[in-house]
Amino acid sequence: MNKVWELLPEALQGQIEGLPEGERERIEEVRLRQGRPMSVSLPTGECFLAGDTVDGDALRRVLERASFFSVHTVLEQLRNGFVAVQGGHRLGLCGTGVVEDGRLVNLRSVSSLSLRQAREVKGIAAKLVPQLFEEGQIKNTLILAPPGQGKTTLLRDLIRAISSGENCIPRRVGLADERGEVASVWEGSPMLDVGPRTDIMDSCPKSIGMLALLRSMSPQVLAVDEITREADAEALLQALGCGVSLLATAHGGSIADLERRHVYQRLTREQVFERFILIQGTGKERRYNVVKQGERKCEA
């Protein structure tokens, strides 16, 4: 049994253990919705398991185990809708929100949980790293794909490779890890491998974390997962004048899709990113295509 699934009540663990071994190994996420059967997400999609429906007690037990039976200690994370779990995993929450001054400050009750397993896939960046360089410099690069296609997994391995000096001269990397999904820092130590020359600012807004890293750690590469707000885009624009290379991810099916969305329009108009990595396919069938600004794509 994978450690992350041990957060589940024993009856639900038994449902996972009852799956064929090949399917158990491919589980990416488990979802618990009150009044519904448990479901698992595989590369082929989400499916419900045979068994009793999930009740409120099961949801509470998972949250208690994830927080080491001290829910108040993870309250700040709860305000962001998730709890970081030891080992780099993540527990997403949904329920009845308590809002003050326009900000979610707590969940009065929990109606569903999403337990996502962190996956390290080392080596997937090996062929890509040389394609991101030009005249000895890493070009500003954006990883682009729809949700669930492995953007964070690829970003993590690119950071690890660049920080370790695999197929390149090693660089100092500053990682703004707002949601703790890339490095999964636990009590000061990253649970996932992001390389020996990587400094991490986690659990604060990406825009603040990026600028703090620039001021304090003089990174050569600045990395951030999921540009979603105008403040994130503005921080990237400010970083351009500091002599660092940018490495980021964004949701989108194509470069044209990106250009139509307001948050990214200034970034695309000013041609901030000189390389795009497009992820296609799922599971072991994923392909990574590197696109140069203004050129046709080539398969990595």
Side-chain angles (χ1 to χ4, degrees):
M1 174 65 68
N2 188 298
K3 288 290 185 182
V4 67
W5 310 140
E6 292 179 3
L7 296 175
L8 300 171
E10 287 70 19
L12 298 181
Q13 291 183 32
Q15 292 183 30
I16 292 180
E17 290 175 338
L19 292 171
E21 183 177 354
E23 289 191 6
R24 288 202 306 270
E25 293 175 348
R26 296 191 300 151
I27 295 175
E28 298 173 348
E29 185 177 80
V30 167
R31 286 185 180 264
L32 309 179
R33 301 177 177 96
Q34 188 161 274
R36 303 288 183 185
M38 179 173 68
S39 70
V40 296
S41 294
L42 304 169
T44 53
E46 181 180 357
C47 61
F48 289 94
L49 303 185
D52 295 336
T53 59
V54 174
D55 58 21
D57 182 62
L59 297 176
R60 286 189 293 272
R61 289 172 66 185
V62 173
L63 181 55
E64 287 173 351
R65 290 179 178 182
S67 62
F68 292 96
F69 299 92
S70 183
V71 175
H72 74 278
T73 63
V74 296
L75 181 59
E76 188 60 40
Q77 293 184 66
L78 281 174
R79 292 168 179 165
N80 293 322
F82 69 91
V83 172
V85 179
Q86 187 174 15
H89 313 296
R90 176 173 168 175
L91 181 65
L93 302 98
C94 192
T96 303
V98 179
V99 177
E100 294 179 2
D101 299 323
R103 180 171 179 259
L104 179 68
V105 296
N106 203 349
L107 288 176
R108 183 177 294 112
S109 61
V110 178
S111 59
S112 58
L113 298 175
S114 169
L115 186 56
R116 181 181 299 179
Q117 179 176 223
R119 293 183 182 273
E120 285 186 295
V121 186
K122 294 185 179 181
I124 57 175
K127 294 181 180 179
L128 301 173
V129 170
Q131 298 182 62
L132 307 184
F133 277 78
E134 190 172 296
E135 297 180 352
Q137 295 295 320
I138 299 176
K139 310 305 286 184
N140 298 331
T141 299
L142 182 68
I143 301 169
L144 185 62
Q149 294 292 92
K151 294 186 297 297
T152 301
T153 302
L154 177 58
L155 175 67
R156 182 186 303 117
D157 200 51
L158 280 170
I159 293 169
R160 181 196 61 80
I162 292 168
S163 176
S164 302
E166 293 185 6
N167 292 331
C168 66
I169 297 172
R171 262 75 171 177
R172 292 188 307 276
V173 181
L175 169 60
D177 195 10
E178 178 176 347
R179 299 184 301 180
E181 286 191 291
V182 183
S184 297
V185 172
W186 185 266
E187 295 184 353
S189 298
M191 296 292 99
L192 301 173
D193 189 357
V194 289
R197 298 174 180 83
T198 301
D199 301 300
I200 306 156
M201 181 71 75
D202 72 325
S203 300
C204 70
K206 292 184 282 287
S207 56
I208 295 173
M210 284 188 279
L211 297 179
L213 285 162
L214 289 171
R215 288 192 296 266
S216 62
M217 304 308 295
S218 61
Q220 295 166 300
V221 178
L222 184 63
V224 61
D225 194 20
E226 294 189 10
I227 304 166
T228 56
R229 299 185 293 262
E230 290 190 17
D232 303 338
E234 182 60 33
L236 288 171
L237 289 166
Q238 290 185 47
L240 279 179
C242 298
V244 299
S245 299
L246 304 178
L247 187 58
T249 73
H251 293 315
S254 66
I255 298 173
D257 179 34
L258 198 71
E259 292 171 343
R260 287 191 291 267
R261 297 163 64 186
H262 179 72
V263 170
Y264 308 107
Q265 285 178 352
R266 187 177 174 192
L267 296 176
T268 56
R269 184 172 62 250
E270 299 189 17
Q271 298 186 346
V272 169
F273 293 105
E274 301 151 296
R275 298 287 188 278
F276 297 89
I277 302 176
L278 307 181
I279 303 177
Q280 299 174 328
T282 60
K284 294 182 179 180
E285 302 301 320
R286 284 194 179 101
R287 300 194 311 275
Y288 305 101
N289 297 314
V290 176
V291 181
K292 293 184 179 181
Q293 181 69 256
E295 294 184 4
R296 297 182 63 184
K297 69 180 182 181
C298 56
E299 186 171 328

